[in-house]
């Protein structure tokens, strides 16, 4: 048999049919839904008078438009409240389990899937959300879909797909102390460019990847889409199995042993061929921060914004437009740029290890006066564990806000947003114009760098804070 | 879905690369629960500026938007093609597209047309009021000549006949049921293991 890549194997396992001249019909093992991209899909089902084919392969939560203030308060935005009520009603009507606020299991869709053991190696996982790539950290083929495809999966449990290009991303060496998976992915996107992975599936391999824990692997895979990739993949290993064992929806007993034996086959064969490959020296990656309006516009936090002469001629106009929007100048250092807000959270960096990292910087220190600092756990489970460890006290004592789980200021459609012109160091994944509110300016970075910025009131290096 | 009909149109030129879905339809408008009415918010933030291209009179009746590289990168929100359609566009010509946007657009009969650099330059530099003819077979350029563009043959067939893809897959029930029967998995999101 021809040597196959991990992607080939996942593809082959889910092939329902492949008819001449048509895209393949691919079976979907796990469908995650949330309030924003599902209402029109359910409306479509009703119009066609079909039910959800496999409600037991679908799971719902509330995250995007849900406010992160005290849950006892009503949802002030009537439009958001209606959207949230509609997901509750649709889940009820179609028999889909919903992890609602107060259940102990609500959270950002890409945080709760893994946390509950729903996401497992070898699965196909989809969600009406581009950061579904997160779940690829488990060796699952996971990608974002639009609402028409959400409707397709609800109705048929399948998708019509053409196979993507498969690129190998090898990261050698070891990340230095103070350098995180967020820095690694920002460095990688800077190297690939925002369109560098368009339409492809990236498989991350190499010593530096093997050394990452599951939460770091999720951070890495999460942002694959920011290089344009459909999905990111990491072959499952003992780190994966240890993370999953004992989680509520992970197999148990003999079924667990059988599953692990099966999952061990989910590696790319020696000699399997990819359409391309990229290499990065993990040991050379520095803490990174973005300066522009797309995630590829990033430099080391101790570095400078490129000079105009360093930018290729066709890119110059976009570069200058981005800097004008950001209120920044070419050639200037990033350290010391004033910031008015800090956001620690999101499906990229809203997990326990991220909060621990932020707390390690904030412990015993104070947020600079006037810098609004939001710490938003990715899920109710993360929130509970963080409180058990006293992290909430660290954040509050430092002067940060400790909020309820949700997408919060990653997307600014739930009440958490910046004022026009404000600059925020954010642990989220997109620095597009207006992403954190109209006229907002986002600098993407790791939780360590974000926490350091909160203390300094400016871009700062977490390795050198007074 | 209605079969895709060829049409003639003037051009609205948006000469930027990496126009992301947050620009096409900012997140604050995603709280809607229907597909309709998003056109009023299409490019909402950029439209605030009076000299934004789409505010200019020559763009008013254009059904074809011309942009640069990687148009529609970013989120999977299908609200992006819904908003463009509701704003009157029926095709977007670009140097390249974000992958999810391209698929979402095709599913809604907003035709994504990828062109090479020379063709792109011709369109961007075409005189005000120049028109193109858009059909599934090719793009007729201002000043003559038809250029082909990549379109998955299956999608082309779906667009030209107005095939409903979900209905198409629902008809493959036997294959889906056979696949499910082949795999014995206890996994169920409604019951813990
Ligand atoms: S945290 Fe941000 S990127 Fe992640 S799912 Fe929510 S809105 Fe999307």
């Amino acid at each position: 048999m021809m040597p196959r890549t991990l992607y080939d194997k996942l593809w082959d396992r889910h092939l329902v049919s492949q008819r001449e001249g048509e895209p393949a019909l691919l079976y979907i093992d796990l469908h995650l839904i949330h309030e924003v991209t599902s209402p029109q899909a359910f409306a479509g089902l009703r119009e066609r008078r079909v039910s959800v084919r496999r409600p037991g392969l679908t799971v719902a939560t509330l995250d995007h438009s849900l406010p992160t203030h005290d849950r006892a308060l009503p949802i002030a935005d009537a439009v958001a409240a209606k959207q949230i009520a509609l997901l509750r009603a649709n889940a009820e009507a179609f028999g889909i389990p919903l992890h609602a606020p107060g259940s102990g299991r609500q959270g950002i869709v890409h945080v709760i899937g893994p946390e509950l053991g729903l996401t497992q190696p070898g699965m196909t996982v989809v969600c009406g959300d581009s950061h579904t790539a997160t779940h690829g950290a488990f060796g699952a083929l996971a990608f974002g879909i639009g609402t028409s495809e959400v409707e397709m999966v609800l109705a048929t449990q399948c998708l019509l797909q053409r196979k993507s290009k498969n690129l190998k991303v090898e990261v050698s060496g070891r990340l230095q102390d103070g350098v995180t998976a967020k820095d690694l992915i920002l460095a990688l996107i800077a190297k690939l460019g925002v369109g560098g992975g368009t339409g492809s599936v990236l498989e991350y391999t190499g010593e530096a990847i093997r050394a990452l824990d599951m939460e770091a692997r999720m951070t890495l895979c999460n942002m694959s889409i920011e290089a344009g990739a459909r999905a990111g993949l990491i072959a499952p290993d003992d780190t994966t199995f240890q993370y999953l064992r004992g989680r509520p929806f992970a197999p148990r007993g003999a079924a667990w042993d059988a599953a692990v034996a099966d999952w061990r086959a989910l590696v790319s064969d020696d000699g399997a061929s990819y359409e391309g490959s990229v290499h990065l020296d993990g040991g050379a990656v520095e803490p990174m921060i973005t300066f522009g309006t797309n995630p590829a516009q990033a430099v080391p936090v101790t570095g400078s914004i490129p000079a105009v002469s360093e930018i290729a001629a066709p890119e110059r106009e976009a570069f200058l437009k981005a800097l004008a929007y950001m209120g920044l100048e070419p050639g200037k250092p990033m350290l010391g740029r004033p910031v008015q807000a800090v956001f620690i959270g999101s499906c990229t960096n809203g997990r326990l290890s991220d909060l621990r990292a932020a707390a390690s910087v904030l412990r015993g220190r104070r947020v600079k006066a006037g810098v609004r600092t939001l710490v938003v756990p990715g899920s109710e489970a993360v929130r509970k564990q963080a409180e058990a460890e006293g992290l909430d006290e660290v954040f509050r004592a430092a002067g940060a806000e400790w909020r309820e789980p949700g997408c919060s200021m990653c997307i600014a459609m739930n009440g958490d947003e910046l004022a026009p012109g404000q600059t925020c160091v954010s642990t989220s994944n997109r620095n597009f114009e207006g992403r954190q509110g109209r006229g907002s300016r986002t600098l993407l970075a790791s939780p360590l760098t974000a926490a350091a910025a909160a203390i300094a009131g400016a871009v700062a290096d977490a390795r050198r804070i007074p | 879905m209605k079969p895709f009909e060829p049409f003639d149109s003037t051009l609205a030129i948006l000469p930027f690369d990496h126009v992301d879905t947050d620009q096409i339809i900012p997140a604050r408008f995603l709280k809607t629960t229907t597909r309709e009415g998003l056109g009023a918010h299409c490019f909402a933030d950029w439209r605030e500026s009076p000299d934004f291209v789409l505010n200019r009179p020559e763009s008013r009746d254009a059904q074809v938007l011309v942009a640069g590289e990687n148009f529609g990168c970013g989120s999977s929100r299908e609200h992006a093609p819904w908003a463009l359609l509701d704003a009157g566009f029926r095709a977007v010509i670009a140097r390249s597209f974000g992958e999810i946007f391209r698929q979402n657009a095709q599913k809604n009969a907003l035709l994504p047309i990828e062109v090479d650099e020379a063709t792109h330059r011709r369109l961007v530099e075409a005189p005000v009021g120049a028109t193109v003819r858009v059909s599934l077979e090719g793009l007729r350029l201002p000043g003559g000549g038809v250029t082909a563009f990549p379109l998955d043959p299956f999608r082309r067939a779906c667009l030209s006949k107005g095939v409903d893809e979900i209905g198409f897959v629902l008809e493959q029930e036997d294959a889906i049921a056979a696949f499910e029967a082949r795999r014995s998995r206890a996994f169920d999101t409604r019951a813990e293991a």
Side-chain angles (χ1 to χ4, degrees), chain A residues 87-370:
Chain A
L87 181 62
R88 288 179 185 271
N90 282 329
E92 172 85 30
F94 289 93
I96 293 166
L98 168 69
H99 299 301
S103 66
R105 292 183 167 180
Q106 176 267 337
I108 303 171
V109 66
H110 310 308
V111 175
I112 69 162
E115 177 175 275
L116 291 170
L118 288 162
T119 304
Q120 296 172 17
M123 283 182 162
T124 40
V125 182
V126 297
C127 175
D129 189 286
S130 59
H131 293 99
T132 308
T134 311
H135 309 264
F138 290 79
L141 179 59
F143 53 92
I145 56 177
T147 297
S148 294
E149 290 188 313
V150 170
E151 185 179 338
M152 171 81 90
V153 178
L154 290 172
T156 70
Q157 205 55 40
C158 292
L159 282 174
L160 286 166
Q161 291 286 306
R162 295 269 185 205
K163 208 166 172 188
S164 303
K165 270 196 309 192
N166 195 185
L167 304 182
K168 180 174 176 170
V169 177
E170 192 174 356
V171 188
S172 57
R174 285 285 183 121
L175 299 184
Q176 299 171 41
D177 282 350
V179 177
T180 68
K182 181 62 160 289
D183 304 305
L184 173 56
I185 188 66
L186 286 173
L188 198 63
I189 297 165
K191 184 177 169 119
L192 282 171
V194 276
T198 295
S200 46
V201 169
L202 309 179
E203 183 182 344
Y204 301 102
T205 66
E207 188 191 348
I209 305 298
R210 288 288 136 222
L212 297 177
D213 65 25
M214 286 314 294
E215 297 196 350
R217 291 182 188 183
M218 285 187 249
T219 300
L220 183 73
C221 288
N222 173 277
M223 287 188 70
S224 303
I225 177 75
E226 308 313 333
R230 221 50 243 281
L233 281 176
I234 296 175
D237 58 14
D238 287 329
T239 304
T240 321
F241 310 144
Q242 256 165 37
Y243 174 96
L244 272 174
R245 186 195 274 275
R247 295 201 177 252
F249 290 88
R252 292 182 193 281
W256 169 261
D257 296 335
V260 171
D262 177 47
W263 294 341
R264 287 198 190 278
L266 295 170
V267 290
S268 292
D269 298 330
D270 287 341
S273 69
Y274 296 83
E275 273 89 4
S277 67
V278 185
H279 171 259
L280 198 74
D281 175 3
V285 175
E286 293 277 322
M288 299 289 286
I289 193 159
T290 63
F291 58 84
T293 55
N294 73 52
Q297 292 174 319
V299 289
V301 73
T302 53
S304 295
I305 299 168
V308 178
S309 60
E310 294 172 67
I311 303 292
E315 299 282 331
R316 272 184 204 159
E317 206 183 316
F319 169 75
L320 291 171
K321 180 170 171 280
L323 288 188
Y325 180 84
M326 295 298 293
L328 295 172
E329 289 166 48
K332 294 281 167 66
M334 286 304 288
L335 285 176
R337 305 305 312 172
V339 304
Q340 293 79 43
V342 167
F343 170 60
I344 296 167
S346 88
C347 61
T348 311
N349 284 128
R351 297 182 181 81
L352 193 62
S353 56
D354 302 310
L355 301 188
R356 284 182 183 151
S360 74
V361 175
L362 289 168
R363 187 170 281 115
R365 296 193 171 91
R366 290 286 302 171
V367 165
K368 175 102 170 184

Side-chain angles (χ1 to χ4, degrees), chain A residues 46-110:
Chain A
R46 288 198 172 90
E47 266 168 46
R48 351 177 146 256
R49 299 173 190 284
V50 302
S51 56
V52 173
R53 181 183 174 84
R54 298 290 305 273
L57 298 184
T58 305
V59 65
T61 192
L62 294 159
D63 52 7
H64 284 68
S65 55
L66 185 75
T68 63
H69 56 52
D70 185 346
R71 295 280 196 243
L73 299 172
I75 299 171
D77 181 340
V79 191
K82 186 179 162 212
Q83 192 176 57
I84 286 163
L86 191 55
L87 181 62
R88 288 179 185 271
N90 282 329
E92 172 85 30
F94 289 93
I96 293 166
L98 168 69
H99 299 301
S103 66
R105 292 183 167 180
Q106 176 267 337
I108 303 171
V109 66
H110 310 308

Side-chain angles (χ1 to χ4, degrees), chain A residues 27 77 105 148 162 438, chain B residues 31 48 78 152 180 192:
Chain A
Y27 198 75
D77 181 340
R105 292 183 167 180
S148 294
R162 295 269 185 205
R438 268 157 90 173
Chain B
K31 288 177 267 187
E48 284 175 15
E78 202 160 314
D152 183 307
E180 286 177 332
E192 290 186 20

